[in-house]
Amino acid sequence: MVQQLVDWVDERVDLSGLRHFIAEKGVPIHTQKIWYYLGGMTMFLLAVQIFTGILLLLYYRPSATEAYESVQFIVTRVPFGWLIRNVHSWSANLLMATAFAHFFSVFLLKSYRKPRELTWLTGILLLFLMLGFGFSGYLLPWNEVSFFATKVGTGIAGAVPIGGKFLLRLLRGGDDVTGATLSRFYGLHVAVLPAITTALVALHLLLVQRQGMSVPLSVARKVKAGEPLRQMPFFPNYVLRDVLTWYVAIAIIAALAAFYPWELGKKADPFAAVPPGIRPEWYFLAMFHTLKLLPSHVLGLEGEQLGVVGFGIAALILVLVPFLDRRSNRGESSPVFTALAVLGLTYLVTFTIIGHYAK
Amino acid sequence: MFLVAALLLSARTAAAQTAATPNSCRTCHASLAEARLATPAEVFSQKDIHRESGFGCVDCHGGDQTAADKARAHDAGRGFKGAPSGQAQIATCARCHSDAELMRRFSPRQRVDQAAEYVTSVHGKRLAAGDTQVATCASCHGAHGIRQVNDAKSPVFPTNVATTCGACHASQTHMGRYTLPGGAPLPTNQLAEYQRSVHYAALTTGNDLSAPTCNDCHGNHGAAPPGVGSVANVCGTCHAIFAQKFATSVHQQIFDKGCVECHSNHAVLKPSDEMLGTGAHTICGTCHSGSGDKGAAAADGMRAAIERLKAGVEQSGSLVARLRNAGMEMSAQELALGTARSQLTLARTEMHASDPARLTPIVDSGLKIIADVDAAGDRAEDELQYRRRGLALSLGAILLVVVGLGLKIRQVDRRSREHHERSRRDSG
Amino acid sequence: MGAHGSGTARRWTESLKRIADVRAPLGRAYFDRRTFLDAVLAVGFVSTAAAMAYPVSRFLVPPANAEPATATAVAGKAAALKPNSGLLFRFGNKPGIVVRTADGDVRAFSAVCTHLDCTVQFKTDTSQLWCACHNGTYDLGGNVVSGPPPRALEKFIVNLRGEPGDEEIVVSHA
């Protein structure tokens, strides 16, 4: 029966390419192969977000007067609304963690080297998009914490020299964080960012499938020297493993949703004072704390401006890494860039921890 | 010669066209060096309700305002009285302000019995007995530069009354010679006490102009301390329910000063449950104590009941808040807690009847509501637990899949290894 | 094609085999025989899929009260509210009161007294809203008439909805 269906489609759309791909695609086996799972995991968690996000869309109301109440409604009145909402909130955090882990593993293993520069490029952009998703989505419940975190975050955007004020107004939909900001962030979160993400993910996946999996430099050198590359068939060996990790992820998310439900918080009051110790979610904490520690004036520039410029430069360097790292393109080890990756990772982890425990 | 001068003068001043008739009082007094004589004229010409209504110096002081020389202007034959004081001052003001027909032309709503009230006041009685140090009309309202009572800068605007009264009553030098009826020295701490009170706070920072100041309890023109037995009536003009409850209590016959015994007269502070009972810092405890004292038992009983309800409300409140924050639907319970809090308010009102038996049904109904809220809270907790059980079930299914997949992977790996071996052997 | 049970399963595995079967060194049919493991896995997949589909399908069905309770509430049947009477109802987590004046006009207010949050009630003898705690009184426009309340009662919007003769009173925030 299934064969008949497949044949029917094959007569109209040539499936031989697909068949060939399924049979041919292999996944290299070596000591670092565990990192391969991170890409698929990120994609899976993104799918979970899209799915639960669409479900939440059916009940959420993006206005300052109704947003909080609609989330309360979802969580208290809609059957299993608590589950969908908690899954969405927890999976968002797991997605951020996985995206960063995937990014760092690629960075450290230098998978960005030729011919995978475009994959890296789309990947970095996707990482930035994930941060955008996190930031825009965080405001949508319209509670005290999310309101003030957005106020502080968009305030930092205003620190960008040349165009900072314009950027702030663009983000906030005005001079202050209001219902206009909510509308704007909602539009970003459910339409603009998903559209761009879809295109980039499609490109990213297409590139990965076309070019196959990258291997660490040491393995590449051995293959060049004549050693055969050990592989496992993508289908079904690797796919089964991937699905297994996804099921483990589901279990973790479900447990988190049931044991650590996301709180409703207090409804945002734009006229209330900023609660002391307000800070963004953990994935922004390192940047936030760095800005807090910078002195108010450095070399004639405002400290915050310097920080923002610094982050901008770092982002630019990241984007250009495959073009800057000549050595790995030649197949040689590139300790400078390894060091850069380790430094970046250490900085992020340390400052996130410090930012968490700081008063 | 004089006639010519007079004509010229009147013509000149008439030509000057001031709103009223020519005013030689002003022109002369304003040029004097002595402040005592110059200032009143200056002030009167700036902001004064009488001047704005068309009255002039001569309407109170008499004399001739067209005359250019002092003797003529100050001629007693032309009605000049000088600066009236004491009873003469009262009479000067009352000449217009007690005249209903006249006042109707300027301010129909204004009362015309101030002078009559004044006579009944302590100030009035003492003035009649010859004491010239007491307050008269000008002491509070000013003489020149009088503003309307509803002008915020008037010394008798509600927020300023206490300071005005305090100008004398808070001054030891002024009040030192007076004593209370029993002979004790007259206190001068009333202003300071009043400024600690909730009434003062409501008036000054709370923008509540209906909050009482000195004249609201003591009367304004007929000012006197409320007599024994009538304090509760005075407080009861605003705090009606409490006065009603108090009227039914045993304390009604016992207390000399009614509400003041517990709540003080000037330093009326925000009441708290700590005042009730026989422990330390309680008010009841100042009279009641010991095991044989029925009043002590009643006070302790009422305090315990209120504390029980208060603790219940707080506990249930935090339970409901926690569950609500975790995402459970608790609005019915929040509504019920609001009712329970109302019971607490009602209990604190009923307590003024000093009868535990009347307090009990109120507290009990509050406690019943709390019990229902707690039960609902327990059900919500159960629901949260139920979710965890549901989770455990689905985790079981997931575990099955995970284990199954693990085994399948092993099987599939084994096969592909065997296949790999076979194809290698085959290809030689 | 007549057998049921294991025959069907065999055909399924045969079909899947053929999809995966290609003349390439690495491609091979892996479902050689139906194993107990495959059955367990199938059961696992189906049950987890059901465990996920069930909440999602329940989620999609809107709850009985489709509006968030803080925005609108039903105060009761219009016919049950007689002229010169009032009825307390629940509006989210706060009490509300709907009154019908002697002229038949229906109005609704928050029943939370603006003094110390006690619940007001309708007094038929004076046709006013009254708070038992400290004797605060409001007129039927919600304005304070006497007593300690500092502000008027919050007004709500009233609409009637439903079949004529059997309408219900729907109250919403202004």
Side-chain angles (χ1 to χ4, degrees), chain A residues 180-194:
Chain A
T181 320
L182 185 61
S183 295
R184 199 162 274 240
F185 274 32
Y186 178 70
L188 276 172
H189 192 80
V190 311
V192 177
L193 293 177

Side-chain angles (χ1 to χ4, degrees), chain C residues 81-97:
Chain C
L81 191 63
K82 301 276 176 285
N84 197 37
S85 74
L87 178 69
L88 283 166
F89 66 96
R90 200 183 99 176
F91 199 164
N93 59 356
K94 298 260 161 58
I97 187 165

Side-chain angles (χ1 to χ4, degrees), chain A residues 5 15 19 80 98 105 113 117 132 138 199 214 222 235 238 257-259 261 267 269 288 309 312 318 322 327 337 339:
Chain A
L5 189 65
L15 287 176
R19 281 220 197 95
F80 295 100
T98 321
S105 70
R113 62 188 192 276
E117 298 95 327
Y138 199 59
S214 153
K222 285 197 207 128
F235 183 89
Y238 185 78
F259 281 95
K267 182 169 176 173
D269 177 8
F288 178 71
V309 168
L318 272 179
R327 288 182 66 103
F337 281 86

Side-chain angles (χ1 to χ4, degrees), chain A residues 68 72 75-77 82 232-233 236-237 240-241 243-244 247-248 250-252 254-255 258-259 261-265, chain B residues 324-331 383-384 386-388 391 394-395 398 401-403 405-406 408-409 412-413 416:
Chain A
Y68 179 82
Q72 192 182 23
V75 163
T76 57
R77 286 226 197 270
W82 59 273
M232 74 167 92
N237 301 52
L240 284 173
R241 286 169 165 82
V243 170
L244 186 126
Y247 264 88
V248 172
I250 292 174
I252 294 174
F259 281 95
W262 216 257
E263 61 160 30
L264 272 172
Chain B
R324 182 191 171 279
N325 205 22
M328 303 306 294
E329 166 50 32
M330 302 302 285
S331 57
E383 166 69 20
L384 277 175
Y386 161 74
R387 290 176 184 179
R388 293 173 187 190
L391 167 78
S394 49
L395 279 183
I398 291 174
V401 170
V402 165
V403 166
L405 277 174
K408 187 75 192 169
I409 287 168
V412 152
D413 276 352
S416 58

Side-chain angles (χ1 to χ4, degrees), chain B residues 177-229:
Chain B
R177 78 191 78 127
Y178 300 105
T179 60
L180 286 172
L186 201 62
T188 50
N189 63 349
Q190 299 93 334
L191 178 63
E193 292 278 274
Y194 174 70
Q195 283 174 337
R196 288 172 49 208
S197 71
V198 284
H199 295 140
Y200 180 72
L203 194 59
T204 50
T205 51
N207 287 324
D208 184 359
L209 292 181
S210 70
T213 179
C214 313
N215 61 318
D216 294 293
C217 296
H218 291 279
N220 25 3
H221 300 105
V228 159

